[in-house]
């Protein structure tokens, strides 16, 4: 063995120097490419690193260089020893590899919660179709940032904000053609338009909505001017109502309960409520549930900015908002509104049965001055009067709403970059295109960012990028009427989208300020959002990333940033209706208001650019990572937190001979299944096809035991209906409010044991179904509680 080793060392000393591959720029017509050269392995040689197109050549063919003269007299002995040297080296290498593999597997098993945390170049498959080169995360990130230009973004925001964008208008038709043409000019694989015929509600110019005083004798008196007759509440009930006025703060259930507790009953009265905290639709639904006759909604100046450089809302301006408690066309619930389709004569259960109308702060101040009764709580006070607000009741008012419904064509515009390996899995990004009135905040910024991302990814494709999964860019119509365009598309393709859509990223409401950053999202995306926040610079804190900006305010970054998906977001329907994880980003002020350019004092392009960077880097991860960076272990925390709220009612249920044990057992099964699968993925072989498939965990939280037509939002945590955890908790709270307080006591408004048992079964088996789906094959599942 020593003799062999000596021969090997002498052969090394006399052998030619090894060569290495470096890259140099190619000038002339192929400028921008890197070409391979063979150079001697001298000390100090540098390898150029760029993300620009590369050309890799294989080794030069044998005989391409002159042969070296044979200067080694004992070469024959070396050749005889070569097989033994190779065998020895192979044995040493194999032993070291096995030891390293075992050690690595052991260390991975102990990694715990860091399994799906995304880091640079981890879980990342290089693009092999880049002029025969390789692209890693850092390459794609640099390429993306280079092509993302701020100048075009600012111009597009300005131009879009000046155009008429009301759904169904001639201006919207022209904008639709222009955006489709813009997409067609890019390097996309497919561009098309989807048209839906939907029922939208508009004001009647011949019969405008009115508000009058009514005297004690019931005679209609002076009319209160509605300064902007075009501002209204789409999907309000039609007709006229008369009643005394009552002030009800934001119109939340707790506000109305507090009102009743203070001796002011909402039944049969008109409620005056403030804009904010909850949606217009929720305010009107709550008022209806408490027996009110109608609702007037006004913007309270105390809720808007009082900072002199930042203009607040005009006191003569009302705020637009639809009042359908749902999404999509409310006259075809659960069905897509394609032309010539016959629908059953049914309307959405989310349509209100009472009228609603927005009014300005000036009109609200006139109404508030007339109110008597108890003084409103301190937190209900505002700045319209020089004296405290009262709850009422006050004088009688007559509200007349004459909005009319019309069948209106709306158009969604699509552009697609097909994926290389998984073209049937879609990463979807969309922005609302329509808006009621001018301005940038509602839709112009999102539309501009969407177009800029299309241009940027198109340029990347031209330079060799090809995502693993398909990228689907969508411009939605009818968003101001309750995400009508997006919901109708989801209804039309419901049977396939839960299998094919990976994630939805919404650009609606992207820039409403720059003081705070929020991500309204599914828990599955929380870890990925954290990772990408660390890659994007803050637009208003120089030298800081967005992540550093938010943790400076609150070390618990997710408590500062993460919010639940609101129903008035297009992202909500993707998650609660179809079961696709979704996210909507928003830069916000402490208070939000209209004139966005003045509010941001010239920083709008920089803030919009930050959103574009955030969304773009998220798209690269989602479309190009070998394993989808979805952290389904996060739902274990959600399950623990939500179901933990049930614990306080265990004693009350036990007194009635009832138990929550079933749902606790299903919770445990889900948490164990999620953790087991997560460990399997992390410690698996790279090409394990079973574990690299898409796991749409979000879909598993849609209750399979209720009808999508009757309960479209089937998600047990985010949805609406008796099958949800929220509904079960509301029902259990009635245990504490039953007047009799005796076991078995029921009423139409109290706790009902039969209803509780059904709710518990719906929740338990949906959660158990999610656990079973993660557990794998049926022979590995035990459904016995």
């Amino acid at each position: 063995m020593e003799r062999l080793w000596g021969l090997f060392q002498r052969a090394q000393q006399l052998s030619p120097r090894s060569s290495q591959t470096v890259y140099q720029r190619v000038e002339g017509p192929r400028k921008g490419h890197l070409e391979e050269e063979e150079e001697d392995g001298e000390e100090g040689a540098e390898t150029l690193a760029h993300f620009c197109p590369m050309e890799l050549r294989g080794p030069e063919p044998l005989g391409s260089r002159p042969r070296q003269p044979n200067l080694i007299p004992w070469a024959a002995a070396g050749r005889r020893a070569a097989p033994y040297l190779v065998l020895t080296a192979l044995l040493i290498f194999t032993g070291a590899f096995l030891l390293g593999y075992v050690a690595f597997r052991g260390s991975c098993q102990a990694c715990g919660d860091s399994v799906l945390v995304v880091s640079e170049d981890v879980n990342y498959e290089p693009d092999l179709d880049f002029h025969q080169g390789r692209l890693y995360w850092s390459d794609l990130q640099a390429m993306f940032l280079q092509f993302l230009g701020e100048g075009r973004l600012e111009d597009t925001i300005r131009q879009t904000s000046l155009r008429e964008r009301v759904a169904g208008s001639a201006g919207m038709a022209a904008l639709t053609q222009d955006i489709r043409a813009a997409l067609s000019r890019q390097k996309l694989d497919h561009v098309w338009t989807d048209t839906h015929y939907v029922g939208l509600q508009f004001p009647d110019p011949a019969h405008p909505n009115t508000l009058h005083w009514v005297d004690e004798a019931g005679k209609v008196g002076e009319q209160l001017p509605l300064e902007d007759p075009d501002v209204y509440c789409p999907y309000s009930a039609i007709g006229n109502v008369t009643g005394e006025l009552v002030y009800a703060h934001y119109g939340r259930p707790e506000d109305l309960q507090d009102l009743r507790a203070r001796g002011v009953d909402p039944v049969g009265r008109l409620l005056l409520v403030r804009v904010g905290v909850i949606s217009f639709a929720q305010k009107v639904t709550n008022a209806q549930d408490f027996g009110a006759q109608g609702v007037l909604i006004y913007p309270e100046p105390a809720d808007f900015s009082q900072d002199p450089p930042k203009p607040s809302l005009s006191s003569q301006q009302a705020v637009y908002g639809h009042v359908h408690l749902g999404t999509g066309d409310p006259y075809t619930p659960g069905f897509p509104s394609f032309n010539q389709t016959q629908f059953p004569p049914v309307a959405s259960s989310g349509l209100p049965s009472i009228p609603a109308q927005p009014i300005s702060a000036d009109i609200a101040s006139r109404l508030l001055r007339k109110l008597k009764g108890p003084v409103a709580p301190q937190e209900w006070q505002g700045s319209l009067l020089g004296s405290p607000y009262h709850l009422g009741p006050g004088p009688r008012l007559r509200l007349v709403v004459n909005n009319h419904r019309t069948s209106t064509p709306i158009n969604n515009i699509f552009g697609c970059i097909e994926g290389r390996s998984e073209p049937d899995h879609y990463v979807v990004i969309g922005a609302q295109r329509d808006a009621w009135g001018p301005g940038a905040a509602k839709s112009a910024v999102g539309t501009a960012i969407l177009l800029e991302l299309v241009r940027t990814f198109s340029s990347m494709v031209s330079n060799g990028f090809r995502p693993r999964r398909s990228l689907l860019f969508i411009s939605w119509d009818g968003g101001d009427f309750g995400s009508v365009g997006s919901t109708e598309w989801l209804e039309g393709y419901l049977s396939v989208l839960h299998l094919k859509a990976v994630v939805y990223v919404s650009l609606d409401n992207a820039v409403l300020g720059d003081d705070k950053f929020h991500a309204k999202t599914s828990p599955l995306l929380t870890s990925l959002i954290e990772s990408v926040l660390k890659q994007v610079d803050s637009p208003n804190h120089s030298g800081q990333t967005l992540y550093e900006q938010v943790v400076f305010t609150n070390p618990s970054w997710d408590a500062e940033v993460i919010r639940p998906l609101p129903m008035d977001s297009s992202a909500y329907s993707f998650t609660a209706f179809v079961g696709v994880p979704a996210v909507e980003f928003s830069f916000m002020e402490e208070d939000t208001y209209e004139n966005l350019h003045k509010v941001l004092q010239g920083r709008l392009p920089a803030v919009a650019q930050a959103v574009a960077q955030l969304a773009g880097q998220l798209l690269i991860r989602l479309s190009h990572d070998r394993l989808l960076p979805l952290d389904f272990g996060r739902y274990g925390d959600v399950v623990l937190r939500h179901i933990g709220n049930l614990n306080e009612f265990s004693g009350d249920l036990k007194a009635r001979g009832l138990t929550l044990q079933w749902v606790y057992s299903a919770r445990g099964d889900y948490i164990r299944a999620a953790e087991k699968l997560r460990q399997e993925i992390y410690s698996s072989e790279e090409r394990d096809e079973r574990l690299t498939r898409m796991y749409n965990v979000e879909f598993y939280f849609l209750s399979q035991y209720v009808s999508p037509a009757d309960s479209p939002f089937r998600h047990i945590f985010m949805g609406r209906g008796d099958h949800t955890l929220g509904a079960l908790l509301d029902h259990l709270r009635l245990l504490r409010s039953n007047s009799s307080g005796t076991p078995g006591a029921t009423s139409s408004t109290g706790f009902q044991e039969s209803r509780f048992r059904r709710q518990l079964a719906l929740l338990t088996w949906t959660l158990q179904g999610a656990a079973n789906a993660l557990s794998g094959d049926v022979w590995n599942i035990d459904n016995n509680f």
Side-chain angles (χ1 to χ4, degrees), residues 362-670:
D362 279 355
I363 297 301
S365 67
R366 293 181 61 179
L367 300 179
L368 286 165
R369 291 181 194 280
K370 298 285 187 179
L371 292 181
K372 306 297 182 184
V375 174
Q378 182 58 41
E379 60 272 20
W380 290 30
Q381 296 298 323
S383 59
L384 281 174
L385 308 178
S387 56
Y389 291 10
H390 287 253
L391 298 177
R396 300 175 73 198
L397 291 166
R398 183 170 187 261
L399 172 63
V400 179
V401 173
N402 292 317
N403 304 336
H404 66 96
R405 167 188 164 190
T406 179
S407 180
T408 307
I410 62 171
N411 298 282
N412 300 322
I413 310 167
F414 302 80
C416 176
I417 297 173
E418 278 198 33
R420 169 173 48 84
S421 304
E422 302 177 39
D424 58 338
H425 287 158
Y426 317 143
V427 178
V428 188
I429 183 165
Q432 173 183 327
R433 185 173 72 256
D434 67 297
W436 187 261
K442 183 64 177 176
S443 64
V445 174
T447 296
I449 294 173
L450 179 71
L451 292 175
E452 184 68 7
L453 288 173
V454 170
R455 187 194 63 80
T456 300
F457 278 94
S458 176
S459 298
M460 293 172 67
V461 168
S462 297
N463 282 269
F465 168 69
R466 177 60 67 172
R468 179 185 183 89
R469 302 174 188 89
S470 296
L471 284 168
L472 192 56
F473 303 92
I474 310 178
S475 175
W476 303 116
D477 199 354
D480 258 6
F481 291 84
S483 303
V484 174
S486 57
T487 302
E488 295 308 308
W489 183 70
L490 292 173
E491 289 175 341
Y493 301 95
L494 180 62
S495 59
V496 298
L497 284 176
H498 79 273
L499 297 172
K500 295 180 179 291
V502 173
V503 167
Y504 176 66
V505 179
S506 170
L507 297 173
D508 298 340
N509 304 306
V511 182
L512 301 173
D514 69 346
D515 285 345
K516 288 184 173 292
F517 174 78
H518 290 159
K520 291 159 273 189
T521 185
S522 159
L524 293 175
L525 293 168
T526 304
S527 294
L528 179 59
I529 292 169
E530 179 183 8
S531 173
V532 176
L533 284 177
K534 295 175 180 178
Q535 306 288 329
V536 178
D537 292 336
S538 167
N540 56 354
H541 291 78
S542 180
Q544 284 188 338
T545 64
L546 276 176
Y547 181 82
E548 291 167 340
Q549 175 185 328
V550 298
V551 296
F552 181 81
T553 305
N554 187 344
S556 177
W557 82 272
D558 49 350
E560 181 71 16
V561 171
I562 302 301
R563 298 289 185 274
L565 286 166
M567 183 181 283
D568 56 359
S569 166
S570 61
Y572 179 83
S573 292
F574 271 84
T575 299
F577 177 50
V578 183
V580 174
V583 60
E584 179 178 290
F585 301 116
S586 294
F587 278 96
M588 309 184 73
E589 295 288 328
E590 292 288 352
D591 305 295
T592 60
Y593 33 87
E594 294 294 310
N595 196 336
L596 200 57
H597 286 280
K598 293 180 181 177
V599 165
L600 294 177
Q601 302 177 35
R603 296 192 306 279
L604 174 57
V607 179
Q609 183 83 353
V611 176
Q613 289 184 19
L614 187 66
Q617 296 191 50
L618 199 74
L619 293 181
I620 294 173
R621 284 291 193 195
L622 290 166
S623 67
H624 210 63
D625 276 16
R626 181 179 62 86
L627 293 175
L628 271 170
L630 302 180
D631 189 354
F632 44 78
R634 285 274 184 169
Y635 256 119
D637 301 333
V638 173
V639 170
L640 282 173
R641 184 173 68 252
H642 281 293
I643 295 185
N645 295 329
L646 299 174
N647 288 336
E648 64 175 291
F649 301 102
S650 297
D652 301 87
L653 291 171
K654 187 175 181 180
R656 296 169 176 265
L658 302 171
T659 179
L660 293 166
Q661 185 56 43
W662 286 1
V663 74
Y664 291 150
S665 178
R667 174 198 68 186
D669 285 351
Y670 176 82

Side-chain angles (χ1 to χ4, degrees), residues 153-399:
L153 184 56
E154 183 177 7
D155 291 343
T156 308
I157 293 171
R158 183 184 301 109
Q159 293 166 11
T160 306
S161 65
L162 296 174
R163 300 186 64 163
E164 181 189 11
R165 307 192 303 284
V166 178
S169 67
M172 173 56 80
L175 181 60
T176 300
Q177 291 179 353
D178 290 347
I179 289 181
R180 174 163 182 166
L183 296 188
S184 298
R185 289 192 294 269
Q186 303 301 327
K187 194 173 181 61
L188 301 176
D189 295 303
H190 310 283
V191 176
W192 74 98
T193 302
D194 228 353
T195 301
H196 299 270
Y197 293 79
V198 298
L200 303 183
Q201 199 184 71
F202 297 96
D204 185 349
H207 302 91
N209 300 341
T210 59
L211 184 65
H212 290 80
W213 294 112
V214 176
D215 63 21
E216 294 181 359
K219 183 179 179 181
V220 176
E222 175 192 0
Q223 180 175 344
L224 290 159
L226 301 177
E227 291 95 340
D228 189 350
D230 289 333
V231 177
Y232 70 113
C233 287
Y235 303 124
S236 164
I238 309 304
N240 64 84
V241 294
T242 302
E244 295 176 314
L245 185 68
V246 167
Y247 172 53
H249 201 210
Y250 291 112
R252 298 169 297 184
E254 56 266 35
D255 295 331
L256 298 174
Q257 290 166 356
D258 195 0
L259 195 65
R260 183 175 285 170
R262 294 172 185 272
V264 182
D265 197 340
V267 173
R269 287 166 169 159
L270 290 178
L271 300 189
L272 178 65
V273 300
R274 293 152 71 146
V275 171
V277 181
I278 59 175
S279 70
F280 279 35
Q282 289 170 304
K283 296 175 191 294
V284 176
T285 298
N286 295 336
Q288 178 179 303
D289 291 345
F290 276 77
Q293 289 268 63
V295 183
L296 301 172
I297 306 172
Y298 81 99
E300 169 58 53
D303 293 338
F304 291 80
S305 176
Q306 303 302 310
D307 185 4
K310 298 178 177 181
S312 60
L313 198 68
S314 166
S315 63
Q316 297 181 339
Q317 188 174 356
V319 176
Y320 168 99
H322 77 88
V323 293
H324 171 218
L325 190 66
T327 62
D329 182 355
Y331 306 108
T332 60
F335 299 95
S337 298
F338 289 111
N339 197 18
Q340 307 300 325
T341 307
Q342 300 298 311
F343 299 105
V346 63
S348 166
S349 60
L351 284 173
S353 59
I354 62 175
Q357 175 67 30
I359 62 173
S360 69
D362 279 355
I363 297 301
S365 67
R366 293 181 61 179
L367 300 179
L368 286 165
R369 291 181 194 280
K370 298 285 187 179
L371 292 181
K372 306 297 182 184
V375 174
Q378 182 58 41
E379 60 272 20
W380 290 30
Q381 296 298 323
S383 59
L384 281 174
L385 308 178
S387 56
Y389 291 10
H390 287 253
L391 298 177
R396 300 175 73 198
L397 291 166
R398 183 170 187 261
L399 172 63

Side-chain angles (χ1 to χ4, degrees), residues 253 572 638-639 641-646 648-649 660 663 701 703 713-735 751 755-756 759-760 762-764 766-767:
Y572 179 83
V638 173
V639 170
R641 184 173 68 252
H642 281 293
I643 295 185
N645 295 329
L646 299 174
E648 64 175 291
F649 301 102
L660 293 166
V663 74
F701 290 111
S703 179
F713 304 122
R714 294 178 292 151
H715 202 289
I716 59 173
F717 297 123
M718 302 183 197
R720 296 185 62 85
D722 232 29
H723 60 283
T724 63
L725 178 59
L728 177 61
L729 282 168
D730 288 341
H731 191 196
L732 287 174
R733 290 186 183 103
L734 296 176
L735 285 168
F751 180 82
R755 180 189 171 200
F756 165 77
Q759 286 180 305
L760 188 63
L762 290 172
L763 179 65
T764 299
T766 302
L767 188 55

